[in-house]
């Protein structure tokens, strides 16, 4: 047996493992992202838009797969990379060229993602400027497949407006704690609405729930919520024809799900429960305005 060759192999392995450890110990610091310019809350308050953006940065793997624009980093020299990073206030001379290039590519992807988010916020702004556009209609729900983008925006705005009102009314520590927990739970839904990752069935159900909230029909909103949680599609009462000839097409939409939506996964369960809390808050405020007791 050639002991010399065995010793050499062991030395090489130790050197390689040492290099790997050094690389892992060298952490690349990335600059903090700018906060949403529309955020008006203090640092201690939670804003839905800011929280949603943080959620996307931290937990969403899909947005981390944004296509790299290779034309923006074509075989750059180290001086060119330094120049671009310096312009972004992200230059760290202690990094190697490869690490600097990775940082630059990351920042470019981040910029693309933030621009996409800004485009969506601009779309929402059009609805904020026109209250009539915020109203969910039966016609839009019936033709949900054709009106998905409209309904997605309307639901997001409805959610944010309820939160805004709730923030103004939250006085006790218990109210504030419930509000904070509800916001955290709803983030996944806000993201799914913005990125069109919600099924048509769920979109119909949510549209129906917020339609009933807007019309102050809270019994119907709660009925629709129950159907959403158990996995059935809920339509506004009287909208869908349930005659003999319509049953087959209706069954294609509603499906024959045996799994409750609230049992799909933990993040889905959290946002479904958060929707229920929004219904409860609006119902409570409506009763207070009407002078109901109990």
């Amino acid at each position: 047996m050639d002991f010399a060759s065995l010793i050499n192999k062991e030395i090489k392995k130790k050197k390689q493992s040492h290099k790997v450890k050094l690389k892992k110990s060298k952490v690349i610091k990335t600059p903090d992202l700018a906060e949403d310019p529309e955020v008006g809350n203090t640092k201690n308050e939670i804003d839905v838009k800011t929280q949603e953006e943080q959620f996307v940065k931290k937990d969403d793997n899909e947005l981390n797969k944004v296509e790299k624009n290779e034309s923006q980093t074509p075989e750059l020299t180290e001086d060119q990379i330094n120049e671009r990073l310096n312009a972004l206030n992200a230059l760290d001379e202690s990094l190697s060229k490869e690490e600097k290039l990775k940082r630059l590519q990351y920042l470019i992807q981040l910029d693309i993602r933030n621009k996409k988010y800004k485009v969506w916020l601009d779309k929402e702004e059009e609805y904020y400027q026109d209250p009539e556009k915020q109203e969910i209609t039966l016609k839009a729900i019936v033709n949900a497949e054709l009106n998905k983008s409209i309904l997605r925006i309307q639901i997001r705005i409805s959610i944010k407006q309820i939160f805004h009102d709730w923030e103004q009314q939250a006085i006790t520590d218990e109210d504030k704690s419930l509000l904070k927990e509800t916001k955290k739970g709803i983030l996944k839904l806000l993201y799914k609405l913005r990125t069109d990752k919600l099924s048509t069935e769920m979109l119909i159900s949510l549209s129906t729930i917020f339609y009933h909230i807007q019309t102050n029909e809270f019994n119907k909103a709660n009925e629709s919520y129950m159907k959403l949680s158990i996995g059935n599609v809920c339509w506004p009462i009287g909208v869908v024809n349930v005659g003999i000839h319509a049953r087959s097409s209706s069954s294609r939409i509603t499906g024959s799900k045996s799994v409750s939506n609230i049992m799909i996964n933990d993040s889905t369960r959290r946002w479904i429960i958060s929707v229920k809390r929004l219904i409860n808050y609006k119902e409570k405020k409506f009763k207070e305005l009407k002078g109901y007791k109990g």
Side-chain angles (χ1 to χ4, degrees), residues 26-33 68 72-73 76 81-82 84-111:
K26 202 166 189 178
V27 179
I28 299 176
K29 296 181 180 180
T30 53
D32 294 330
L33 296 175
K68 293 181 181 179
Q72 297 188 51
T73 56
L76 298 175
I81 294 172
N82 289 344
R84 293 197 179 192
L85 286 173
N86 191 44
L88 295 168
N89 296 319
L91 179 61
D92 184 349
E93 294 289 359
S94 66
L95 302 178
S96 66
K97 181 183 176 181
E98 289 182 359
E99 290 171 332
K100 289 176 182 177
L101 183 59
K102 285 181 180 179
R103 172 178 281 199
L104 180 58
Q105 289 173 337
Y106 167 77
L107 291 173
I108 290 171
Q109 291 179 51
L110 201 58
D111 183 56

Side-chain angles (χ1 to χ4, degrees), residues 142-153:
V142 172
N143 300 293
E145 195 65 46
L146 298 175
N147 296 293
K148 287 181 75 173
S149 60
I150 295 173
L151 291 171
R152 283 159 49 210
I153 293 174

Side-chain angles (χ1 to χ4, degrees), residues 27-60:
V27 179
I28 299 176
K29 296 181 180 180
T30 53
D32 294 330
L33 296 175
E35 292 184 355
D36 193 319
E38 296 184 29
V39 175
N41 294 355
T42 62
K43 291 181 180 179
N44 294 326
E45 293 176 332
I46 295 178
D47 182 86
V48 176
K49 290 180 182 177
T50 306
Q51 284 286 336
E52 181 199 4
E53 187 66 2
Q54 289 172 354
F55 169 81
V56 172
K57 295 169 199 168
K58 182 178 178 182
D59 294 326
D60 181 58

Side-chain angles (χ1 to χ4, degrees), residues 123-140:
K123 287 181 183 178
E124 286 189 353
E125 187 61 30
E126 295 176 14
Y127 284 73
Y128 281 113
Q129 299 299 328
D130 187 355
E132 289 186 5
K133 284 186 175 182
Q134 300 172 20
E135 299 296 323
I136 298 172
T137 64
L138 295 177
K139 185 178 179 181

